[in-house]
Amino acid sequence: MQEPVITLLTDFGVTDSYVGAMKGVILSICPSAKLIDLSHEIKEHDIYEGAFFLSSVAKFYPKNTIHLVVIDPGVGSERNAVMIRSENYFFIGPDNGVLSLAASVDGVKKIVKISNSKYFLKPISHTFHGRDIFAPVAAHLAKIGEIEKFGPIIKEWNQIEITKARVEKTGIHGEIIHVDRFGNLITNISQEIFQNAEGIQPDFIQVRINDRDLKMILANSYNQVKVGDYLGIFGSYNFLEISRNQASAATLLNSRVHDKILLKF
Amino acid sequence: MQEPVITLLTDFGVTDSYVGAMKGVILSICPSAKLIDLSHEIKEHDIYEGAFFLSSVAKFYPKNTIHLVVIDPGVGSERNAVMIRSENYFFIGPDNGVLSLAASVDGVKKIVKISNSKYFLKPISHTFHGRDIFAPVAAHLAKIGEIEKFGPIIKEWNQIEITKARVEKTGIHGEIIHVDRFGNLITNISQEIFQNAEGIQPDFIQVRINDRDLKMILANSYNQVKVGDYLGIFGSYNFLEISRNQASAATLLNSRVHDKILLKF
Amino acid sequence: MQEPVITLLTDFGVTDSYVGAMKGVILSICPSAKLIDLSHEIKEHDIYEGAFFLSSVAKFYPKNTIHLVVIDPGVGSERNAVMIRSENYFFIGPDNGVLSLAASVDGVKKIVKISNSKYFLKPISHTFHGRDIFAPVAAHLAKIGEIEKFGPIIKEWNQIEITKARVEKTGIHGEIIHVDRFGNLITNISQEIFQNAEGIQPDFIQVRINDRDLKMILANSYNQVKVGDYLGIFGSYNFLEISRNQASAATLLNSRVHDKILLKF
C-alpha cells in the first residue's frame, strides 16, 4: 500500500524541538507516514510568506498529499483550525489565510472546522497546537481519509491574496512578492500581463525600483549577461524576476517583499 | 513489517557532510530505517542544550524508537559510548549526560557500554565516532533489538540535571532553562510549584529578571495582550514561560539560558 | 522490494520552496523513493565546495543510491546535464565538475548526456532545471535503472581536482580544502604523504599558516590538549586537520578554503 505523504511547513526553525515533537506525534499515530519538510524557516508569524511558499510547491506533490502548515501567531485565541479538501490535496492549519493561496489554486471542495477533540493530544497546551492538534489530526486523516470526521463543514474562511500587477499609461505597476536565497526579486508580473501590455519591448526592459532606474535585457539564461550584471527573466514561478548573474539583485537594490516595481513603456 | 524509527540529534550543523555520512552508514546496514532529524543545530559541544532538547521530544515517539545523539566534545578520549534500554525507547550516544534527562524520565532499564567492535565501521577515526561507532551501532540495533550484544552492562553513568526552582520568602526563585526561536523564555517553574506556592496571585505576576522588574498577566493565549506586550504563560514544556505577543522577550530582556528569575510574592 | 535511495545536495537553502518542489516532483513519479537531504546549504554557486562535500559522503551510501546534485550557476546555458553510472552509484547533475570527485573515486563506467525530454517536466523553466529536469530524471532512473534511456553516451566531461600537497625542501606544502562548523581546518595533507616525508617528526608539528607560526602536538584525541589549545589530528576525511580543543581554529587564524599551509621539517 502507498505510504501517505505529509508535508510540513512551519515557522518553528530547527533549533527548537517543536518540529521533532510534531513528527513523533504523527509517527505514533500513523507509522507509515512519509514526512517531508517543506521548510521550517518561514519568518516568524509571516503568514504571507508561508502562503506564497505553499502555493508555489504544493501542486508538485502526489495526489492526496496532506499539506500541514503551522504558522500560527493566533494560537490559543479564537481563530479556527481548519482542514480543507481540495481537488487533489488535503490542507491542515490555522484559519489565518496561510492555506488559502494553495488551496484556492487547486480548487477548494470542502472546508471543515477542526473540533473533534477525539483526535487531539491531551492535555492541549495553550501555545503549541502544532503538536497537540494539527499533528495528530493530520496523522489520523492519513489513516481515515475523510475530513468530515474532524468537525462541521464551514463556508466562511480567511483568504489572503497576492496583489495583481496592473497596466497603466506609464507601464506595468507591480511589486516584489518574494526574494529568494540568491537575491532574485520575484515580481507579480506574469508572462500573460507582460505579453498583453502594448508598448512593452520584448527583449529589453526598463525598470524603476527603489528610486533607481535600470535597463536590462530580458534573458532566457543568467549567462546571457556578464557575471554581476542585471537581467530580467521569467523564472520558475512564472513571474518576471529581476536578477543578476551569479550575484544578488536584492542586496544591491536593497529590495524587500512588497517593494513597488515599475516596468516602463 | 514496521520500519524501525531512528532519530538523530547532533551539533554537526548541515553545512558539513557529517550528518549525511551517518545516514549513509545507517542505510547501508539497515535499509528499512526511517530516519528522522530532530536537530543538527544544537550549539557546538552544548551537552545541556542537547539533553534538554531530547527530553522534551523523545517521549512523543513510537515505542522502540532509537534515539541517536552525537554531541560529543570528548570524542576520542576515554569517555564511554553507551546504549540505554528504557521503558519505551533505546538511546545511543556518548556517556556525558546528554542522554540522561530523557532516559531517566522514561525509566532506565539497562545500560550497556558499547564495546563490541564487530558492529563498528573500520577504520575507526579519531574524530568522528558518530559515523564510525554510533551510526553503525544504531543500525545494527534496529535489526537485532537486543542491547546486550553490544557490550557489557554497566551501572555507573553520567547524569545531568535541570536545576529545580525553589520557593523562598521573597517568591519563587527559578532560572531560564531554554530560549526558543520566538524569544520565549522557558523557566524551570512548573505549574505544580506555582500552584502550591502560597502568596502567588493566580492571574497577575511580578517578575524580576536581569535587574528589571516586570508586571504581566498570566495568560492562556498570546493574544490576551497587545502585540509587543509581556505575558506569562504555562507553555508546551509545562513550565512558566515569559513571552511577548508576536515579539521576542529574549531580545528585549537580553536573556539567556541559566539567567535567574524571581517570581515575587 | 527495496526502496530506492535518492540523496539531494544543492545550494538552494531551505527558506525557498525549491527543494520542496524537487521532492514533490520525485515522489509524484516514484512514490517509493527514500529521499535523503545531504545538504542544501552549500554556498551559492560553489562547485568546489559541493564536489568536496559529495566526495566525502557518497561512498557511505548503499549500492545503487542515486546522488542528485544541483549546484548550477550555468542553468539555462549550453552546459550539459549528465547522468553517471559509476561502480556503485548513480550521479545526476550539471556537467560543471560538481560530480567529478565523487564519481571518479568510485570509478566511472558510463556517462550520458541527459537529453531525452520524455522524462522532463514541462514546460521547462529557464531557471530551475533542478525541478524540471534533474528531479524527474532522477525519479525515472529510480524506476528504470538504465542510464542509456536518458540520452547518448558521452566521453568528454568536466572534472575538477583537489590540489595535491607536495613535499619540498622546507616541508610539506599544502592548503586548506575545507573548514567545518567547529572551525577545524581540513588540509590536503594525507597520512600517506605525511608518513613518507623524511624529516617530519611523528608527534609534534610546526605549522606556518596565514603568516603565523604554530607548534602543536599531533594528537589522537582533542582532549590530549587543554581546552582552547591547538592540535594537529588526522581526522575523518583522512587528512591532517588543524584544530583546537572545543574551540575554533578557523576564527583565531582567520583561515579559509584555499589558504596555504606549510608543515615545516
Side-chain angles (χ1 to χ4, degrees), chain C residues 121-145:
Chain C
L121 195 71
K122 281 102 178 178
I124 300 165
S125 68
H126 300 307
T127 59
F128 190 12
H129 290 185
R131 180 191 69 192
D132 302 332
I133 295 180
F134 294 117
V137 153
H140 283 293
L141 177 63
K143 293 168 72 175
I144 298 172

Side-chain angles (χ1 to χ4, degrees), chain C residues 83-87 91 99-111 154 157 159:
Chain C
M83 188 180 278
I84 301 172
R85 181 60 171 136
S86 68
E87 205 57 52
F91 295 92
L99 307 175
S100 63
L101 292 178
S104 297
V105 164
D106 195 47
V108 173
K109 292 168 74 177
K110 269 184 215 160
I111 305 175
I154 57 174
W157 65 310
Q159 292 179 260

Side-chain angles (χ1 to χ4, degrees), chain A residues 106-162:
Chain A
D106 195 49
V108 173
K109 292 168 75 177
K110 269 183 214 159
I111 304 175
V112 150
K113 174 182 164 170
I114 298 170
S115 57
N116 188 344
S117 65
K118 175 172 128 182
Y119 299 113
F120 300 169
L121 195 71
K122 280 104 178 177
I124 300 164
S125 68
H126 299 308
T127 59
F128 191 12
H129 290 185
R131 181 191 69 192
D132 302 332
I133 296 180
F134 294 116
V137 153
H140 284 293
L141 178 63
K143 292 168 72 176
I144 298 171
E146 289 174 55
I147 71 169
E148 290 84 352
K149 304 274 186 191
F150 296 87
I153 288 176
I154 58 174
K155 299 289 179 192
E156 303 282 307
W157 64 310
N158 287 304
Q159 293 180 261
I160 62 175
E161 279 182 14
I162 291 181

Side-chain angles (χ1 to χ4, degrees), chain C residues 55-119:
Chain C
S55 74
S56 65
V57 67
K59 59 192 169 198
F60 293 106
Y61 276 79
K63 208 169 158 67
N64 294 325
T65 291
I66 297 170
H67 294 296
L68 171 56
V69 183
V70 190
I71 299 162
D72 194 13
V75 61
S77 71
E78 297 298 304
R79 67 104 187 85
N80 281 342
V82 292
M83 188 180 278
I84 301 172
R85 181 60 171 136
S86 68
E87 205 57 52
N88 296 289
Y89 303 114
F90 297 98
F91 295 92
I92 296 174
D95 179 27
N96 58 20
V98 75
L99 307 175
S100 63
L101 292 178
S104 297
V105 164
D106 195 47
V108 173
K109 292 168 74 177
K110 269 184 215 160
I111 305 175
V112 150
K113 175 181 164 168
I114 298 170
S115 56
N116 189 345
S117 65
K118 175 171 131 185
Y119 298 113

Side-chain angles (χ1 to χ4, degrees), chain B residues 44-59:
Chain B
E44 297 96 312
H45 314 303
D46 195 332
I47 292 164
Y48 181 91
E49 189 185 320
F52 177 76
F53 189 117
L54 186 67
S55 74
S56 66
V57 67
K59 60 193 169 198

Side-chain angles (χ1 to χ4, degrees), chain A residues 17 20-29 121 128 131-132, chain B residues 55-62 65 67 89 236:
Chain A
S17 60
M22 288 178 63
K23 290 181 179 176
V25 169
I26 292 172
L27 292 178
S28 293
I29 295 164
L121 195 71
F128 191 12
R131 181 191 69 192
D132 302 332
Chain B
S55 74
S56 66
V57 67
K59 60 193 169 198
F60 293 107
Y61 277 78
T65 292
H67 294 296
Y89 304 114
S236 62

